[in-house]
Amino acid sequence: MNKNDVVSLLKNKKFQWAVVGIVLLIVLFWSSSIRASNWDLLTDQTTGEKIPIALDPFYFLRLAETIVENGSLPEVDVMRYPSANVGFSPEIMPQVIVGMYNVANVFGDYTLREVDIFSPVVFYFVGVVLFFFLIFVLTKSKSIAVISSIFLGFIPSYLYRTMAGFSDHEAIGMMALFAAMLVYTL
């Protein structure tokens, strides 16, 4: 190959998109593997079941387990102030976890806890793809979109909030925010 062949190859749009796709996939899988690296540490030593890493995700898991057992949430949450007849908080996260659990069991035999623990990584993965396209639409630059996605993939505060076991609102909220902003810009 001579210099002109290399230059024409680098100017080829299909080649550029292929390189961007490969780099984005490497970043996605590398950063997702970092987020899932604590998988073995999320096993309760007394029961052998998976457990979330924070308190709010325990609450959302309890709601998801109640939905799976009863088909829906009862009127009163008897575990919160039993004599006060307090209702359940209207949360989207338990419904999403149950939906993901139903979809995941089409492809294999997964427990609700495993789906709950892994859900932030799934939301992160989809969120970064949406973020890439959002930045690309805003800047019209593939390289800026890839660099921005790399920064988002490895920023420490976002890393913790999308780590396996932290099944709170942040991962799904950021994914929804990126989707809403992308739809708005389009």
Side-chain angles (χ1 to χ4, degrees):
M1 288 182 78
N2 62 21
K3 182 180 177 183
N4 292 336
D5 292 339
V6 172
V7 169
S8 66
L9 180 66
L10 292 176
K11 288 185 177 181
N12 185 338
K13 295 290 184 189
K14 289 182 182 179
F15 177 76
Q16 290 174 359
W17 276 109
V19 169
V20 165
I22 290 169
V23 170
L24 189 61
L25 283 175
I26 289 170
V27 168
L28 279 169
F29 285 112
W30 186 18
S31 60
S32 295
S33 71
I34 291 170
R35 284 166 170 76
S37 64
N38 65 343
W39 182 260
D40 293 334
L41 300 174
L42 298 173
T43 304
D44 185 355
Q45 297 301 314
T46 58
T47 64
E49 294 180 332
K50 295 293 182 190
I51 55 171
I53 61 175
L55 293 178
D56 284 350
F58 268 108
Y59 175 68
F60 299 135
L61 176 62
R62 182 174 69 87
L63 293 182
E65 288 172 341
T66 304
I67 292 170
V68 168
E69 290 172 10
N70 300 335
S72 66
L73 291 173
E75 291 293 320
V76 176
D77 186 358
V78 295
M79 293 183 77
R80 286 179 55 203
Y81 308 111
S83 61
N85 293 332
V86 175
F88 284 94
S89 299
E91 300 285 345
I92 190 172
M93 197 66 197
Q95 301 289 342
V96 171
I97 297 299
V98 170
M100 288 177 70
Y101 169 70
N102 292 333
V103 169
N105 281 321
V106 170
F107 300 105
D109 187 26
Y110 301 100
T111 66
L112 182 65
R113 286 177 175 255
E114 290 171 337
V115 172
D116 177 61
I117 298 301
F118 197 69
S119 66
V121 180
V122 172
F123 295 135
Y124 160 76
F125 194 92
V126 174
V128 168
V129 172
L130 292 169
F131 180 76
F132 168 81
F133 285 112
L134 172 65
I135 299 301
F136 177 72
V137 167
L138 290 173
T139 64
K140 306 288 189 258
S141 171
K142 295 181 280 291
S143 58
I144 291 175
V146 168
I147 292 169
S148 299
S149 299
I150 291 170
F151 280 133
L152 181 68
F154 296 103
I155 193 165
S157 58
Y158 193 60
L159 180 66
Y160 174 70
R161 296 296 182 164
T162 54
M163 183 75 76
F166 198 86
S167 54
D168 208 338
H169 296 109
E170 285 83 356
I172 192 172
M174 291 304 291
M175 183 194 72
L177 176 74
F178 296 147
M181 292 175 69
L182 179 60
V183 168
Y184 180 74
T185 56
L186 291 174

